[in-house]
Amino acid sequence: MDKVAIKDSKYIPKKAQIIKVTQMTPHEKFFHLVLEGGESLDHEPGQFIMVSVVGVGEVPVSVCSSPSRRGSFDLCVRAVGKVTRSLHKLEAGDVIGVRGPYGVGFPIRILEGNDLLIVAGGLGIAPLRSLINYVLDNRRDFGNVHILLGCKSPNDMLFVDELGEWQKRMDVHYECTVDNAAPDWAGNVGLITTLLPGVDIEPERTFAVVVGPPVMYKFVIKELLAKNIPERQILVSFERHMKCGMGKCGRCQIQGIYCCQDGPVFNYEKIKDLSEAF
Ligand SMILES: Cc1cc2nc3c(=O)[nH]c(=O)nc-3n(C[C@H](O)[C@H](O)[C@H](O)COP(=O)(O)OP(=O)(O)OC[C@H]3O[C@@H](n4cnc5c(N)ncnc54)[C@H](O)[C@@H]3O)c2cc1C
Ligand code: FES
């Protein structure tokens, strides 16, 4: 292989510099980054990148910024193990490796012109923030927008400032709920499914987009179907263990479907019969 081919290989990570790091909750940090040379990441909402820390390893992470905000990109990372804890030790000025973007994101062209019911559980708000900010930056291309957010407690809430902005907007219906809260919490308490019956939608023109912990999907989808949203208009995004991120190693397979390449965003109608998916 000649030098140009090696440099441009999709297997070689590009360098990205951390511009800003913010501690969002005790477990999650926000990273604002730029690619070396000011190159654009060129991602779609819902896609992920493989992030590497030199000498430690590589992990898939959703891009949580909208592609409509060019020149930089954002990640929200929960520290759970070796690589994510190493990422949490990095500071502004440090450099990480980035491969991608990979995978199938949210089908923007199909969503355009329709109403959206966005349902985010916990860290699921990370890929959905990319979609939400894209929709808000192109607000006239979409119909009614409902955003429902659920998290364990008020202290686990991510992107708090932005949630406040969404709540204030007249062209967005935003509601959140927490599983547990101290008596001074004035908002909703209960699982995210408790918000769904009260949302007023026209099912035939609504696309539901659901991202959250595995346990959430079964119960949320049951409520969406009870609201008569057609199966083909329900979109979900899955997290599976990944190694290559691009359909080569088989690590992310769910009964023959490659989560990294065929997903992570899937149409519920197409995957509902995969017993290992839910
Ligand atoms: C498409 C996709 C998008 C993701 N987006 C984000 C994101 O935006 N922010 C974020 O914080 N995390 C995200 N993750 C999860 C992230 O990749 C894992 O937390 C990370 O790989 C853990 O690596 P580690 O070395 O820190 O931990 P390890 O030491 O490898 O594992 C620690 C724990 O995390 C579990 N784990 C490891 N990998 C995964 C995985 N891929 N999915 C679920 N659990 C895993 C392990 O089973 C173990 O319990 C995403 C995963 C996928 C597949
Ligand atoms: S992570 Fe290798 S095939 Fe999906």
Side-chain angles (χ1 to χ4, degrees), residues 159-201:
F159 306 110
V160 173
D161 293 347
E162 271 166 79
L163 303 183
E165 295 297 317
W166 301 343
Q167 189 161 26
K168 280 188 224 148
R169 287 182 72 122
M170 302 302 285
D171 58 355
V172 169
H173 164 222
Y174 167 87
E175 275 190 84
C176 81
T177 183
V178 297
D179 298 350
N180 303 295
D184 61 347
W185 168 254
N188 297 306
V189 179
L191 298 178
I192 193 154
T193 42
T194 59
L195 297 180
L196 281 161
V199 182
D200 189 16
I201 55 153

Side-chain angles (χ1 to χ4, degrees), residues 48 50 60 99 240-253 257-262:
F48 67 94
M50 296 300 293
R99 282 195 292 125
R240 287 295 185 274
H241 289 265
M242 289 184 182
K243 204 166 175 66
C244 68
M246 49 189 181
K248 305 284 181 208
C249 71
R251 182 82 202 273
C252 64
Q253 265 197 85
I257 286 186
Y258 283 33
C259 205
C260 67
Q261 206 171 41
D262 304 320

Side-chain angles (χ1 to χ4, degrees), residues 48 58-63 76-85 123 126-127 238-242 264:
F48 67 94
E58 197 179 36
V59 290
V61 180
S62 305
V63 183
C76 167
V77 179
R78 176 177 291 170
V80 295
K82 202 172 63 152
V83 179
T84 48
R85 285 200 190 110
L123 194 53
F238 287 144
E239 272 193 20
R240 287 295 185 274
H241 289 265
M242 289 184 182

Side-chain angles (χ1 to χ4, degrees), residues 23 32 71 73 77 97 100 133 153 179 182-183 200 204 221 264 267 271 273 277:
Q23 185 86 44
H32 183 62
F73 64 98
V77 179
N133 282 332
S153 77
D179 298 350
D200 189 16
E204 65 285 355
I221 289 170
N267 185 304
I271 47 124
D273 296 324

